[in-house]
Amino acid sequence: MSTIKDIARHAGVSVATVSYVLNNTRYVSPDKRERVIAAVQELNYVPNAAARGLRVRESRTIGLIVSDISNPFYPDLAKACEDVAQQYGYAVHMINTNDQPERMRQAVSQAREGKIDGLIVTTALEADRELLQSLLDREFPVVLAHRRLEGLDADLIESDNYEGGMLAARHMLALGHRRIAFLSGVAGSPISERRVAGYLQAMREAGIDVLAEWVLPGEAKYANSYERMVQYADMAPDTRPTAIINVSDIGAMGVLDAAADRGLRVPEDVAVMGFDDLFLAAFRSVRLTTVRIPRYELGRQATELLLKRIGKAKTERRHVVLPVDLVVRKTCGSEQADG
Amino acid sequence: MSTIKDIARHAGVSVATVSYVLNNTRYVSPDKRERVIAAVQELNYVPNAAARGLRVRESRTIGLIVSDISNPFYPDLAKACEDVAQQYGYAVHMINTNDQPERMRQAVSQAREGKIDGLIVTTALEADRELLQSLLDREFPVVLAHRRLEGLDADLIESDNYEGGMLAARHMLALGHRRIAFLSGVAGSPISERRVAGYLQAMREAGIDVLAEWVLPGEAKYANSYERMVQYADMAPDTRPTAIINVSDIGAMGVLDAAADRGLRVPEDVAVMGFDDLFLAAFRSVRLTTVRIPRYELGRQATELLLKRIGKAKTERRHVVLPVDLVVRKTCGSEQADG
DNA sequence: GTATGGCATCTAATCGATTAGACCGGAGGA
DNA sequence: TCCTCCGGTCTAATCGATTAGATGCCATAC
């Protein structure tokens, strides 16, 4: 593997001149410039990233923290992040925390080692606040994407979860439902909380008292949502919720399957909605009505913002709220055309 | 940000001693050891990765190349890779090539810059062979996972695609089908080719002549598979294939939806199978019979092998073939129990 | 009392880039 | 003719770690 010295020797110039040519940092006479370029080609030279990074104190790498890349919410966001990063010459470290603070600690450590120049955090728990704040205190760029973390002084790109909750509830209300349940996420999830708040607001506006049993927290996964739906299915038909809004599409799939297993027809006996608009929500056999979350856009904007932050002096924190929209399909029974 | 010199000064020892304590490379007296540890804690010291990397010529990072992380095949594999890497103290660079050779070139460049110590490649095209071989020629560790690349002298962890093709075809044959089609992937995909080869072998063993129109190459995506199924649906019922094997589950979803749109019942009018066993294949509304590909295991073993390669002298190339298995659900009509 | 050896620790070279500041030669002005 | 200035290029310091080899101290042996 050749070094800058080899190039300098081969081209008959100094290492400084080689560096000037490679980085375009000073004028170099055409003749020497050409000799440098030729030497680079001939020796197939690629500069060493560690040496460069040590000197200029940057790694040209950003970190992306997700709780679990195999959760279908994240791949689109991760893709956006990588697309943008590539474009700007940055690499992406992917870190799955599995919601363990230990993993977040490792990520923060990578930041302090200088392995990454900035961090995009899609899932930060309460327990991670102090850790992330310690980075921010050192002026290390951190952008929250998707999930906010109250009390953390970082940039935030999120979608309009409150509006999403309203949209969902109003859709059900417009279809004539009154007993509308909301299968929320785990207690303390700010995403879930905002969506529930929107739902509650819409219900209030409609003059409906929301029964405690209608808002059931739990894991936004298939299995747990399935179980929660089974509870509803076992209630008497005249008290059972006629509409179920789910905090995630994956959870909605569990609800759909539980309903079918219990002999309830969708949408005749129960209307079902999700959140996210995953690819699978569009399948003909599913056709889930849902609130679309702009996942790619979340990742794109978070990465653009992070890269803007890197190297720049501290600026005003940004808080971007992306619009969401209702995607009407079949599971609430109101599809317009092709049924 | 403090450096090793600060720690040395603070603890009243030399930088060498600090390094010995931190890396456990030489005996250090308990008293100095403790002073070093105290200084590290007090100054909140974290060693600089670039400086270390420059000196010892390693980045403790590996690269993972996928064609597109938003293709649901890859997240499980990527997760496995990251899980194993974390465990060994390595970070993971995720690189989406989108099947563009340009992106592969960037990845190879990262390797040569020393940004990564090894590379896991899940999708290498013919066009990438030379590039990857150039890495191997420099003794840079490369492991192919999932997709082989003929003529490349690298380690390979794949699943038994040939056996999978046989399993699928035999299942259809056992159910009494004779006109069995195989919607394959794009021409030149070795994964698809092996699966088709297994299918052809099973058909041969059953004494059935496979019509050219039964093996339709195309993109293994939803839309393209949908279109191909439409073609079949338009054939006369007595010549139309009664069974469709798909090279991917996502493609099978397209087939399922096309069949439904054309008024064909599954499995009564057409039996449908996929490959992969994605999470969505298990949904009640889908219940896709498929050949399970051990995605997590693929990623796990590839990463373990890669890490074994890194730093070790050149050893014999390994070729691991993981077993696949048939997952019988509803789309071929032979489900045993809970239908 | 001096020589020997071993052990803990130190000094300084090194990795491969970037870049501040020195240097040198030629042009232009006095 | 001499001085100044400027532009092109060079030398060498620097980033922060690791580690080879030097050093100095102390115990033991003669």
Side-chain angles (χ1 to χ4, degrees):
Chain A
M1 197 107 299
S2 46
T3 74
I4 197 171
K5 278 189 192 167
D6 300 324
I7 303 301
R9 199 175 315 127
H10 203 267
V13 300
S14 73
V15 292
T17 303
V18 177
S19 178
Y20 297 146
V21 171
L22 260 32
N23 302 299
N24 250 311
T25 36
R26 284 207 201 173
Y27 181 85
V28 172
S29 67
D31 130 39
K32 300 210 167 175
R33 168 177 296 273
E34 262 172 47
R35 267 152 52 205
V36 168
I37 292 172
V40 166
Q41 296 239 333
E42 207 162 324
L43 302 186
N44 205 342
Y45 169 73
V46 176
N48 180 285
R52 175 172 200 288
L54 174 58
R55 181 62 223 237
V56 307
R57 6 191 45 78
E58 66 173 36
S59 59
R60 301 223 129 228
T61 300
I62 62 177
L64 171 67
I65 295 192
V66 299
S67 67
D68 176 6
I69 190 68
S70 69
N71 173 339
F73 183 87
Y74 295 110
D76 284 333
L77 196 153
K79 177 120 189 289
C81 175
E82 218 260 331
D83 280 351
V84 174
Q86 279 261 7
Q87 213 175 297
Y88 287 84
Y90 277 75
V92 176
H93 264 176
M94 186 189 65
I95 301 156
N96 286 287
T97 60
N98 298 321
D99 288 336
Q100 294 163 8
E102 175 51 26
R103 292 280 192 116
M104 182 65 86
R105 209 164 297 131
Q106 291 174 13
V108 168
S109 182
Q110 288 194 11
R112 306 224 18 236
E113 287 169 20
K115 270 194 147 181
I116 53 180
D117 298 339
L119 194 55
I120 293 177
V121 180
T122 63
T123 28
L125 305 176
E126 295 288 321
D128 303 322
R129 187 187 291 110
E130 224 180 315
L131 225 40
L132 291 173
Q133 187 63 53
S134 78
L135 285 182
L136 289 163
D137 291 345
R138 293 188 165 81
E139 309 263 307
F140 186 89
V142 176
V143 173
L144 296 180
H146 180 49
R147 175 167 176 148
R148 58 167 75 177
L149 182 55
E150 230 61 70
L152 188 77
D153 178 32
D155 292 304
L156 169 64
I157 313 278
E158 63 177 351
S159 47
D160 197 341
N161 291 307
Y162 183 82
E163 172 75 8
M166 296 233 305
L167 245 35
R170 283 190 188 144
H171 181 63
M172 291 300 197
L173 288 163
L175 293 170
H177 292 281
R178 287 296 167 266
R179 299 198 302 275
I180 303 170
F182 197 111
L183 296 193
S184 66
V186 289
S189 156
I191 299 165
S192 174
E193 273 168 14
R194 294 298 295 161
R195 292 177 185 172
V196 169
Y199 150 86
L200 290 174
Q201 174 62 20
M203 294 296 272
R204 198 172 312 123
E205 284 172 6
I208 297 180
D209 277 341
V210 173
L211 269 53
E213 67 198 37
W214 290 354
V215 181
L216 270 193
E219 264 187 299
K221 302 272 179 73
Y222 179 91
N224 189 271
S225 305
Y226 184 102
E227 283 161 26
R228 283 182 280 170
M229 181 60 202
V230 167
Q231 289 179 39
Y232 285 142
D234 288 345
M235 292 170 67
D238 58 335
T239 61
R240 178 205 301 150
T242 61
I244 316 279
I245 302 171
N246 246 274
V247 81
S248 76
D249 280 358
I250 288 290
M253 292 306 298
V255 167
L256 248 22
D257 287 2
D261 285 347
R262 289 297 165 130
L264 295 177
R265 291 162 308 161
V266 173
E268 296 83 351
D269 301 324
V270 245
V272 176
M273 278 188 74
F275 267 85
D276 293 347
D277 194 24
L278 300 180
F279 188 62
L280 61 87
F283 292 147
R284 188 186 203 281
S285 48
V286 177
R287 306 241 74 207
L288 180 66
T289 291
T290 189
V291 175
R292 199 182 74 85
I293 304 296
R295 300 187 295 282
Y296 189 92
E297 191 60 16
L298 237 24
R300 195 186 69 73
Q301 293 208 24
T303 311
E304 294 270 8
L305 180 53
L306 183 71
L307 293 176
K308 218 161 276 162
R309 284 275 178 268
I310 291 174
K312 302 286 181 315
K314 185 172 175 170
T315 31
E316 197 75 353
R317 297 293 180 214
R318 276 272 207 98
H319 179 186
V320 177
V321 179
L322 299 179
V324 300
D325 39 48
L326 189 65
V327 180
V328 177
R329 294 204 182 89
K330 235 178 39 184
T331 54
C332 300
S334 59
E335 197 176 34
Q336 290 94 336
D338 59 296
Chain B
M1 197 105 303
S2 44
T3 73
I4 197 170
K5 277 189 191 167
D6 299 324
I7 303 301
R9 199 175 314 124
H10 203 267
V13 300
S14 72
V15 292
T17 303
V18 176
S19 178
Y20 297 147
V21 171
L22 260 32
N23 302 299
N24 252 310
T25 35
R26 282 206 201 173
Y27 179 85
V28 172
S29 69
D31 138 41
K32 300 209 168 173
R33 167 176 296 271
E34 262 173 45
R35 265 152 52 205
V36 168
I37 291 171
V40 166
Q41 295 240 334
E42 208 162 324
L43 302 186
N44 208 342
Y45 168 73
V46 176
N48 180 285
R52 177 173 199 285
L54 174 59
R55 181 62 223 239
V56 306
R57 4 190 48 77
E58 64 173 39
S59 59
R60 301 222 127 228
T61 300
I62 61 177
L64 171 66
I65 294 190
V66 299
S67 66
D68 176 6
I69 190 69
S70 68
N71 173 338
F73 183 88
Y74 295 111
D76 284 333
L77 196 154
K79 177 121 191 289
C81 176
E82 218 261 331
D83 281 351
V84 173
Q86 278 261 6
Q87 213 174 298
Y88 287 85
Y90 277 74
V92 176
H93 265 177
M94 187 189 64
I95 301 154
N96 286 287
T97 61
N98 298 322
D99 288 335
Q100 295 163 8
E102 174 51 25
R103 292 281 192 114
M104 182 65 87
R105 209 164 298 130
Q106 290 175 14
V108 167
S109 182
Q110 287 194 12
R112 305 223 21 234
E113 286 170 20
K115 270 194 150 182
I116 53 180
D117 298 338
L119 194 55
I120 293 177
V121 180
T122 63
T123 29
L125 304 176
E126 296 288 320
D128 304 323
R129 187 187 292 110
E130 222 180 317
L131 225 42
L132 291 173
Q133 188 62 52
S134 79
L135 285 182
L136 289 163
D137 291 345
R138 292 187 166 81
E139 309 263 306
F140 185 90
V142 176
V143 172
L144 295 180
H146 180 48
R147 175 165 175 149
R148 58 168 73 178
L149 182 54
E150 229 61 69
L152 187 78
D153 178 32
D155 292 303
L156 169 63
I157 313 279
E158 63 176 353
S159 48
D160 197 340
N161 291 307
Y162 182 82
E163 171 75 8
M166 295 235 303
L167 245 35
R170 284 193 187 141
H171 182 63
M172 292 299 198
L173 288 164
L175 292 169
H177 292 282
R178 286 296 168 266
R179 300 198 300 277
I180 304 170
F182 197 113
L183 296 193
S184 65
V186 290
S189 156
I191 298 165
S192 174
E193 272 169 15
R194 294 297 295 161
R195 291 177 185 172
V196 169
Y199 150 85
L200 291 174
Q201 172 64 17
M203 295 295 272
R204 198 171 313 123
E205 283 172 7
I208 298 178
D209 276 341
V210 173
L211 269 54
E213 68 197 38
W214 290 355
V215 180
L216 271 193
E219 264 189 299
K221 300 272 179 73
Y222 179 90
N224 189 269
S225 304
Y226 184 102
E227 285 161 25
R228 283 181 280 168
M229 182 59 202
V230 167
Q231 290 180 36
Y232 285 141
D234 288 346
M235 291 171 66
D238 57 336
T239 61
R240 177 205 302 149
T242 61
I244 317 280
I245 303 173
N246 246 274
V247 81
S248 75
D249 280 357
I250 289 291
M253 293 306 297
V255 167
L256 248 23
D257 287 2
D261 285 348
R262 290 297 164 129
L264 295 177
R265 291 162 308 161
V266 174
E268 295 83 353
D269 300 325
V270 247
V272 176
M273 276 187 77
F275 266 86
D276 293 348
D277 194 26
L278 300 180
F279 188 62
L280 61 87
F283 292 147
R284 191 187 200 283
S285 49
V286 178
R287 306 241 74 208
L288 180 66
T289 292
T290 189
V291 175
R292 199 181 75 84
I293 303 296
R295 301 187 294 282
Y296 190 92
E297 192 60 16
L298 237 24
R300 196 185 70 73
Q301 292 207 23
T303 311
E304 294 269 7
L305 180 54
L306 182 72
L307 293 177
K308 219 161 275 164
R309 284 274 179 268
I310 291 173
K312 302 285 181 315
K314 186 173 176 171
T315 31
E316 197 73 353
R317 297 291 180 215
R318 281 265 208 102
H319 179 187
V320 177
V321 180
L322 300 178
V324 301
D325 39 48
L326 188 66
V327 180
V328 178
R329 294 204 180 91
K330 236 178 39 185
T331 53
C332 298
S334 59
E335 197 174 38
Q336 291 94 335
D338 61 293

